[in-house]
Amino acid sequence: MVQHSLVSAAAGSGVSSTPTASGSQPVAAKPALRYDPQQLAEQYRGRWDLVLRRWFQLITPFLGLLAWVFWDRWRGVELKNRPKHAARLREILTELGPTAIKIGQALSTRPDLVSPLFLEELAKLQDELPPFDNRIAFELIESEIGLPLHQIYREIAPEPIAAASLGQVYQAYLHTGEKVAVKVQRPDLIGRISLDMYIIRGLAVWAKQTFRHIRSDLVGIVEEFAGRLYEEMDYTQEGRNAERFLQLYRHPSIYAPKIYWEYTRTKVLTMEWIDGIKLTQLDKITAAGLDGRHLIEIGVNCSLKQLLENGFFHADPHPGNLLAMADGRLAYIDFGMMSSIQPHQRYGLIKAIVHLVNRDFVALAQDYVDLEFLSPDTDLRPIIPALEAVFAEAMGSSVAQLNFKSITDKLSGVMYDFPFRVPAYYALIIRSLLTLEGIAIGLDPNFKVLSVAYPYVAQRLLTDPAPELRVSLRELLFNQGQFRWNRLENLLRNAVNSEDFDLQGSLEKALDFIFSERGAFLREKLVDVIFSSPSSQTSSPAQPTSDTSDTIEHLRRLWELLSSNPAFQPMQLFPIVAKVATKPEAQQLGRQLASRWLQRSAARLIREWLLPDESDSISTLNGGSKRAATPSLST
């Protein structure tokens, strides 16, 4: 078994301080870090020597790259050498230090700002830097905690086991015997990043005022990025993130490290050491007797719960942050890069999935407006066929054949060509899912994230009582007044495959919904489905029409699908049905069905016995020998 820990470098979330699992508050020696552009402006006002020196360090390598690009363009080889330009940009960002690395990683998720070729190169940015001096690290631990090092840890490794842009990690043991990972921040990190963000925000203001064709809010993007970066530099925030994550997503297959608050401060984080194997180390996972594909499926389903259920999600699930534990659990570590997605955004994403399945690209384009990718005054007419071109081929494939990366690559081109403004939460979601798919394909070349994700989406559509999802379910199941049984069967078949699908509870919720005020539309459609057959106008009441037979056949298949699930207990439905039968809505539905059936039966009776048979009348007029026509009755 190989031991791993993690150093992250990415954005945090603005989670407020909450009590820990033990009920104690996180100990913080200093106020929480927050980005304040006005405070930075006051701090660096008049310090032109410091600002100009760093400004020159930041700008010079980019001017060299720009000169190379113009030289290649003049020679007519710019397109040929563009991959080299992208690679050089990645090298420059790495050389400029933590702030530049973070900016490059953030840009790698912004298809509205960066062309697809540069996106791919920026995605290769590694959050790794040489370690800093151990003596400085140990002195910082002592000054932050306020105790000598030997009183804090019984033993601490003399060298770090990992080093990243914001800090480095040591393995240690507490005096109580627990093995821990100790994350220590780089010296003067806050000062260096503050100066960089002051300069970069000034450049964003200048660019926005100078280049009128820039459609994105550069200043807003910089400020949002800076806010997240400041939160990540506060290790107490990361500790709170870890505890909130475990509280929200506690599951027998999911684990997160314990935080030791008495030895955690703004620049020092002490957390439980996790013994595990990186998900990319296939041979070691196999040797440990673990199922790598199942671990990835756990990760995909956990990510979907984060994105679509609670909205608090781990935005950096790279291979170093996901570990396979010996007991088969999937451990998440490093909670510096967390983000949140609001309820209306979560429901908006599910609505977009429904419109995609329905091939309703007009509604899909409007979804992008509702989700704030496009401004309300955007002309959607040229965007609709572009979206159709991206998704039409994909939607011709089965869910199991879909490749998430190929779709997002094509969509990135559309977002670059049209006036899209990618919200931060969406960029982080795409990064998260692409990372999971990349890990998964390493384990199984045929693995498709979307095929694993669809059962969860189906389960949410069938069971979530939110009004927004009830509308989405109606859009999915009804087309121009016609009920699409195949869609319901497919949803149910996939939902049953979701490990969190409570079949018995879902049926109870479904019946409660149907026989409630909000389910009125479904009751009306149910009556229409039963009595919708045109042929039923002429058939005998004793003989079911072909459409009625089809409906019965669909219901039979649904019953078989339910019965095949081991969790389904038909006898447990009787109390539920008895409870529903007492509801006024159920009694009203019964009266509607009886009334419609009596009307249809009476109409058939009149046609067959009291009104003339049209074929007989025609035959009689032509001299036929059929029975005489019955005299017509006026009504």
Side-chain angles (χ1 to χ4, degrees):
M1 180 72 68
V2 179
Q3 297 172 339
H4 294 281
S5 190
L6 153 119
V7 179
S8 162
S13 78
V15 184
S16 61
S17 175
T18 55
T20 66
S22 61
S24 61
Q25 286 284 349
V27 180
K30 300 176 183 178
L33 286 176
R34 290 293 180 265
Y35 171 69
D36 186 344
Q38 293 182 350
Q39 183 180 0
L40 289 185
E42 294 176 2
Q43 180 179 340
Y44 292 107
R45 184 178 294 119
R47 303 184 64 182
W48 297 111
D49 56 335
L50 181 65
V51 173
L52 287 176
R53 189 185 312 118
R54 182 56 177 166
W55 189 89
F56 183 77
Q57 292 173 348
L58 291 172
I59 295 300
T60 301
F62 289 106
L63 291 177
L65 175 60
L66 197 60
W68 182 17
V69 171
F70 280 122
W71 172 247
D72 283 349
R73 185 174 296 175
W74 184 77
R75 294 188 301 142
V77 295
E78 192 262 336
L79 189 62
K80 176 184 176 182
N81 285 344
R82 192 168 292 175
K84 295 181 180 178
H85 300 155
R88 177 54 187 154
L89 174 63
R90 174 176 53 79
E91 292 170 359
I92 289 172
L93 293 172
T94 303
E95 293 164 2
L96 288 176
T99 309
I101 291 173
K102 294 297 187 183
I103 290 174
Q105 291 175 333
L107 287 174
S108 71
T109 64
R110 299 300 302 237
D112 56 332
L113 300 177
V114 183
S115 65
L117 175 63
F118 281 80
L119 281 177
E120 185 175 351
E121 191 64 36
L122 289 176
K124 300 176 184 177
L125 269 172
Q126 296 298 312
D127 191 23
E128 297 176 0
L129 289 177
F132 59 93
D133 187 83
N134 294 315
R135 179 183 57 81
I136 297 175
F138 295 155
E139 288 177 354
L140 190 147
I141 293 174
E142 292 179 336
S143 65
E144 284 285 302
I145 305 299
L147 293 171
L149 194 66
H150 70 273
Q151 291 186 21
I152 304 171
Y153 307 112
R154 186 188 73 193
E155 178 185 340
I156 187 167
E159 299 293 334
I161 53 94
S165 58
L166 299 190
Q168 57 197 36
V169 172
Y170 294 85
Q171 184 186 97
Y173 288 89
L174 299 178
H175 286 282
T176 50
E178 295 98 329
K179 187 195 297 188
V180 294
V182 183
K183 182 187 286 189
V184 188
Q185 196 171 105
R186 288 185 176 275
D188 196 30
L189 180 71
I190 297 173
R192 287 187 292 166
I193 287 182
S194 296
L195 177 58
D196 286 349
M197 294 315 306
Y198 170 74
I199 293 171
I200 292 167
R201 186 184 184 279
L203 288 173
V205 171
W206 171 81
K208 187 65 177 176
Q209 294 173 347
T210 306
F211 305 106
R212 299 294 181 182
H213 67 278
I214 296 178
R215 59 178 181 260
S216 298
D217 180 9
L218 289 183
V219 177
I221 291 172
V222 168
E223 290 184 345
E224 182 178 5
F225 166 78
R228 293 180 180 278
L229 187 53
Y230 268 64
E231 288 173 358
E232 188 181 357
M233 289 190 292
D234 184 351
Y235 286 168
T236 63
Q237 180 67 57
E238 182 174 342
R240 289 189 289 270
N241 288 343
E243 292 197 334
R244 185 182 178 195
F245 181 91
L246 189 58
Q247 180 183 12
L248 288 174
Y249 308 111
R250 190 179 300 276
H251 186 277
S253 301
I254 300 294
Y255 192 71
K258 175 185 176 182
I259 305 299
Y260 294 91
W261 287 109
E262 59 270 40
Y263 307 123
T264 293
R265 300 291 187 274
T266 301
K267 297 180 181 180
V268 177
L269 173 64
T270 302
M271 60 183 177
E272 177 185 1
W273 178 276
I274 302 294
D275 285 319
I277 306 172
K278 287 184 180 180
L279 294 186
T280 50
Q281 296 178 312
L282 308 183
D283 53 342
K284 294 178 180 177
I285 288 178
T286 303
L290 301 174
D291 184 347
R293 181 186 174 91
H294 179 63
L295 287 165
I296 289 295
E297 291 177 357
I298 292 172
V300 170
N301 280 290
C302 184
S303 292
L304 290 168
K305 287 181 185 177
Q306 295 170 45
L307 299 174
L308 300 178
E309 201 164 309
N310 293 303
F312 180 67
F313 66 96
H314 196 297
D316 192 24
H318 65 70
N321 292 354
L322 293 172
L323 302 180
M325 299 177 68
D327 57 7
R329 287 181 293 176
L330 180 66
Y332 284 76
I333 54 178
D334 194 331
F335 295 88
M337 189 173 184
M338 305 296 293
S339 189
S340 297
I341 175 171
Q342 300 304 312
H344 75 276
Q345 295 165 337
R346 303 201 295 268
Y347 294 133
L349 289 173
I350 296 179
K351 279 177 59 181
I353 293 171
V354 170
H355 291 148
L356 190 57
V357 172
N358 286 346
R359 296 175 178 271
D360 188 347
F361 297 107
V362 175
L364 183 63
Q366 184 59 45
D367 289 334
Y368 280 110
V369 175
D370 297 338
L371 289 167
E372 300 175 351
F373 285 73
L374 297 166
S375 62
D377 58 350
T378 302
D379 182 6
L380 299 180
R381 287 173 295 180
I383 296 176
I384 292 169
L387 291 174
E388 186 172 2
V390 168
F391 292 113
E393 181 181 351
M395 296 313 297
S397 307
S398 68
V399 174
Q401 294 172 324
L402 293 178
N403 183 290
F404 189 70
K405 186 177 187 307
S406 65
I407 295 174
T408 53
D409 285 348
K410 294 176 183 177
L411 189 58
S412 294
V414 173
M415 289 184 172
Y416 185 73
D417 294 336
F418 292 96
F420 279 82
R421 300 172 301 179
V422 177
Y425 73 86
Y426 174 81
L428 294 172
I429 288 171
I430 294 300
R431 175 178 178 174
S432 173
L433 293 177
L434 283 177
T435 302
L436 279 172
E437 185 173 67
I439 298 172
I441 289 175
L443 292 168
D444 179 1
N446 298 316
F447 189 96
K448 305 295 180 188
V449 164
L450 291 178
S451 66
V452 176
Y454 191 65
Y456 175 81
V457 174
Q459 181 257 129
R460 283 295 303 280
L461 279 173
L462 287 172
T463 61
D464 196 312
E468 296 90 341
L469 294 193
R470 296 300 93 197
V471 172
S472 296
L473 181 62
R474 178 171 55 187
E475 291 178 353
L476 189 67
L477 296 181
F478 292 97
N479 181 29
Q480 297 178 346
Q482 297 298 313
F483 188 80
R484 292 185 277 195
W485 288 100
N486 61 320
R487 288 275 174 84
L488 179 58
E489 290 179 31
N490 190 39
L491 277 177
L492 190 56
R493 185 175 294 107
N494 278 281
V496 168
N497 291 331
S498 174
E499 65 172 14
D500 295 316
F501 185 55
D502 177 9
L503 181 57
Q504 208 73 24
S506 299
L507 287 173
E508 184 171 1
K509 288 179 182 177
L511 288 173
D512 280 340
F513 174 75
I514 291 173
F515 296 103
S516 67
E517 291 183 8
R518 293 177 298 155
F521 80 92
L522 273 178
R523 296 196 300 275
E524 292 172 6
K525 294 296 182 183
L526 180 62
V527 174
D528 291 340
V529 165
I530 295 174
F531 295 102
S532 62
S533 169
S535 58
S536 64
Q537 301 291 334
T538 58
S539 9
S540 165
Q543 295 177 338
T545 66
S546 60
D547 284 3
T548 304
S549 298
D550 289 343
T551 299
I552 293 173
E553 177 59 23
H554 286 304
L555 291 172
R556 185 188 65 79
R557 287 208 298 265
L558 288 175
W559 182 262
E560 288 181 352
L561 189 59
L562 292 172
S563 302
S564 66
N565 190 297
F568 181 60
Q569 300 294 332
M571 295 303 295
Q572 293 181 8
L573 288 179
F574 285 107
I576 301 172
V577 173
K579 174 186 171 184
V580 166
T582 62
K583 292 191 173 186
E585 292 85 0
Q587 296 168 5
Q588 182 186 17
L589 176 63
R591 289 193 294 269
Q592 285 179 300
L593 290 173
S595 175
R596 291 282 287 271
W597 183 83
L598 287 172
Q599 290 175 26
R600 290 293 176 90
S601 298
R604 293 192 193 106
L605 184 64
I606 291 172
R607 280 194 301 272
E608 292 184 10
W609 297 100
L610 300 179
L611 295 182
D613 187 292
E614 288 187 11
S615 60
D616 288 352
S617 300
I618 294 172
S619 177
T620 302
L621 289 173
N622 290 330
S625 58
K626 291 198 174 188
R627 66 176 175 83
T630 305
S632 63
L633 297 177
S634 60
T635 58

